[in-house]
Every structure is written in structure tokens, then in C-alpha cells.
Amino acid sequence: EEYSNAQGTRWNKNIITYRYLLYTRDLPRSTVDFLLETAFRVWARASSLTFVRMHSHNADIMVEFVTSDHGDLYPFDGPRGTLAHAFGPGLGVGGDTHFDDDERWTTGKTGFNLHVVAAHEFGHALGLKHSRNPESLMYPTYKSSRGASLLASEDVANINTLY
Ligand SMILES: CNC(=O)[C@@H](NC(=O)[C@H](CC(C)C)CN(O)C=O)C(C)(C)C
Ligand SMILES: [Zn+2]
């Protein structure tokens, strides 16, 4: 995992679209919608970005729950290990976010908290890189103890440096 404070590419717009393609069976769809929507809102509150949900056609950030080899160059690895990944801003696969459906996705402290993981992934989808600071949402290792205020001050600074 490369560490970098110099954030990478960015979207050249402030209104970013997203679309849910495939869901997990671990949670009701309405719960998944809520957890992902509030993960977008974490970034919207900290920046000038607006997120608009699409129900058809191509959106900037296409979101799906998949397992193992799923058509990109980064197959998932079964339970535990890598939980999810997201591509940085750009056309086509750019921004797309994949969750490993061999994980147990939850709303709380057991399994893996979908809201927390999604907020990290959407940080990548917006162009943020990993941080060495364990308090940062962009730290590369999952922490079930991450509190309600997901973003560290450096996360807010970085998203506002980028947009
Ligand atoms: C429990 N497993 C882990 O902590 C694993 N880390 C992840 O799956 C990262 C996502 C977390 C931070 C939500 C992968 N990543 O960076 C995606 O953008 C390993 C550290 C084992 C790779
Ligand atoms: Zn990451």
C-alpha cells in the first residue's frame, strides 16, 4: 500500500453520482442503502461535494458486493483479509467500489461494519490515499473501535485540499 499525503487524481466536478448494482444478503436492502448513503454524507459534510443516487445508466461510483474473481484485476480473498477496494477518480472503472461479500457485513461491532468500511472506500473513490495515522479513516487496517466521528482532522484537510 503506497502512503502518500500528495493526494492523487480528483473528479473535475462537485456533483458526483453513485449507483448500487449488487447487494449483500447480510443486511436488508434498506439498511445497506442507509449505511452507504450516510457514508457518502460523511464526505459531503466535510467538503463542498454533493452525491446524487442514480437508478440506471452509468454513475461515477458504481457500487457492488462481489466475491473472489469478479472481473477486475483484483480478485477478493474469501473471508477476512481484504474487505473491499475502490478505484480512484476517472472514467469507466474510476470511482467504482467493490465490497467482498465473503465478509459478514453488519451495522455494529461484530463482523465488519459496512458504514465504516464504505466511508474508507469512498475516500479512495474521491481520490484520497492511505494515511499512516491510525486515527485517520484512511488508515489501511480495519478498526472496529472507530468511533462515530469517523474523520480525523487530516481527513477533512485532505479532502478540502483535493476539492
Ligand atoms: C481486516 N482486514 C483488514 O484490515 C485489511 N484491510 C482492508 O481490507 C482495507 C480496507 C479497510 C481499512 C476498511 C483494504 N483497503 O485499503 C481498501 O481500500 C488488511 C489490513 C488485512 C489488508
Ligand atoms: Zn484503503
Side-chain angles (χ1 to χ4, degrees), residues 65-82:
F65 290 79
V66 291
T67 57
S68 306
D69 195 348
H70 53 276
D72 63 23
L73 294 173
Y74 309 94
F76 283 133
D77 50 8
R80 306 186 68 76
T82 299

Side-chain angles (χ1 to χ4, degrees), residues 43-145:
W43 294 109
R45 276 199 307 273
S47 68
S48 58
L49 298 171
T50 304
F51 297 95
V52 174
R53 183 176 174 184
M54 311 250 295
H55 292 268
S56 62
H57 303 300
N58 190 36
D60 298 319
I61 299 177
M62 303 290 259
V63 178
E64 47 191 4
F65 290 79
V66 291
T67 57
S68 306
D69 195 348
H70 53 276
D72 63 23
L73 294 173
Y74 309 94
F76 283 133
D77 50 8
R80 306 186 68 76
T82 299
L83 306 179
H85 56 224
F87 294 88
L91 297 176
V93 76
D96 292 0
T97 301
H98 301 157
F99 296 96
D100 185 350
D101 212 2
D102 278 331
E103 311 303 346
R104 191 160 61 86
W105 296 107
T106 68
T107 58
K109 296 283 181 196
T110 62
F112 292 104
N113 183 306
L114 180 58
H115 175 70
V116 173
V117 176
H120 175 98
E121 298 311 326
F122 295 157
H124 287 313
L126 296 174
L128 295 184
K129 302 294 180 196
H130 280 149
S131 166
R132 282 192 173 81
N133 172 6
E135 294 312 305
S136 164
L137 178 61
M138 299 314 293
Y139 191 63
T141 303
Y142 177 80
K143 287 170 65 180
S144 60
S145 61

Side-chain angles (χ1 to χ4, degrees), residues 140-155:
T141 303
Y142 177 80
K143 287 170 65 180
S144 60
S145 61
R146 196 167 292 286
S149 61
L150 289 181
L151 297 187
S153 52
E154 80 168 62
D155 300 318

